[in-house]
Amino acid sequence: MSHPVISLASARTLHLSAQNLLKPLTRKPSAADVVDTIRDMGLLQIDTISVVARSPYLVLFSRLGSYSPQWLEEALSAGKIFEYWAHEACFIPSEDYGLLRHRMLNPQGMGWKFSQAWFDEHESDIQALLGHIAENGPVRSADFTADKKSASGWWDWKPHKKHLETLFTSGKLMVSERRNFHRVYDLAERVMPGWDDARQTLKQDVAQFQMLRRSAQYLGIFKPEWLADYYRLKRVNINAVIAQLLADEEITPVEVTGLEGVFYVHQRQFSLLQQATESRIRSTVTTLLSPFDPVVWDRKRASVLFNFEYRIECYTPEAKRQYGYFTLPVLQRGELIGRVDAKMHRKEKILEVKSLHLEPQVAMTARRAQDVHSAITRFAQWQGAERVLTGNVPETLMALWGTDWQV
């Protein structure tokens, strides 16, 4: 039996649709949109680099446009989302706590994120820390110093940060809020009151099936080998999951012109798939993406689906960087057309576009130039900039944009 055949542009559109990047939001965003957007992606990866906006805020901006970043922090402190290890450290909808809880209850499987030897060696200190939080309320890592502040002496340890992270990984502490993006830790039972492990925690095999099932939804279209990366699952039987999802008619096989192998489309995209086989569908979103956006966080997937070779170079020595410290992929109407290395100078209210590198095959049309100019301007306004300064930008764009513009 032959499968429906769709174009590569349509395949990209199905993925962007699943990721809430099909059409720009035409109304003003609200606080509820922040939580809904995280639900649509399943996960919002956390990263602390703040040369422009920190990654989680940027991922939301790509989908919502100009929203208030404090809405993310409010969602966390209101208990609508929680933090844990998923793809990496992520914000996750609170209703998915049971999906991740088995990892907390068996932290030995969490690799470098948890050390039983550390836990055993420092058990009395760790218990004292839990007792302190129970009695005195939430703490930050910054509340502890290496200097002895009290005769009781229990907070003069240097390793307090590792204690907190160990307790976080093992689910005894949770992040109740963030202050200036610093974690505030509290007892899990105070952050998730009424939680019943025996009744509500999914067993590992059930949870992993659900994670893979969700991953199919969040990707929209996928190759089987792409599924496990979303929640960083290892040693899972993908073929059995595919067979089950096919039997349940949650996915359907397709072929993509120019790409090898069978792809699967999730049922949430079936109506768009019907249009894809009949006519051209295309995303109309142009925006800057975070290096940790789900669209690009799986570098192999970005290479296959978008022909976009991407890696973040902030961990590469400056002399060896090809594109810049924290380059933002440029999504334009269904294609990844280049990357921008930008820096926000907050005191001066200037967004500096240090460089813009286009992909080799990209021709700069007037519409494309206008799309990208508008996207950078919107980003600058959201960041509170009043001007944009451009550096190493293609001559065709420099001629249209100039080196300095008001926003």
Side-chain angles (χ1 to χ4, degrees), residues 84-130:
Y84 197 62
W85 301 107
H87 182 79
E88 285 294 335
C90 289
F91 294 115
I92 307 158
S94 289
E95 59 267 26
D96 288 352
Y97 183 72
L99 204 61
L100 280 303
R101 181 66 178 157
H102 71 278
R103 290 184 175 178
M104 304 175 197
L105 297 176
N106 181 27
Q108 292 83 359
M110 297 294 288
W112 63 267
K113 302 173 183 81
F114 179 85
S115 163
Q116 188 64 49
W118 178 275
F119 203 86
D120 294 342
E121 183 186 344
H122 298 278
E123 187 175 5
S124 61
D125 283 347
I126 287 171
Q127 292 305 322
L129 174 55
L130 284 170

Side-chain angles (χ1 to χ4, degrees), residues 209-267:
F209 174 78
Q210 289 298 337
M211 288 180 197
L212 292 164
R213 184 185 186 190
R214 307 279 191 87
S215 300
Q217 175 187 319
Y218 304 140
L219 291 173
I221 185 169
F222 62 92
K223 299 191 82 161
E225 58 265 34
W226 295 351
L227 274 192
D229 175 74
Y230 212 86
Y231 284 88
R232 290 282 161 90
L233 296 170
K234 293 183 172 63
R235 296 179 293 280
V236 287
N237 187 341
I238 296 292
N239 291 336
V241 173
I242 298 284
Q244 185 63 53
L245 295 178
L246 283 168
D248 294 341
E249 299 184 347
E250 285 192 35
I251 59 173
T252 193
V254 299
E255 290 176 30
V256 178
T257 304
L259 298 183
E260 292 180 7
V262 175
F263 287 71
Y264 295 93
V265 176
H266 188 265
Q267 64 182 3

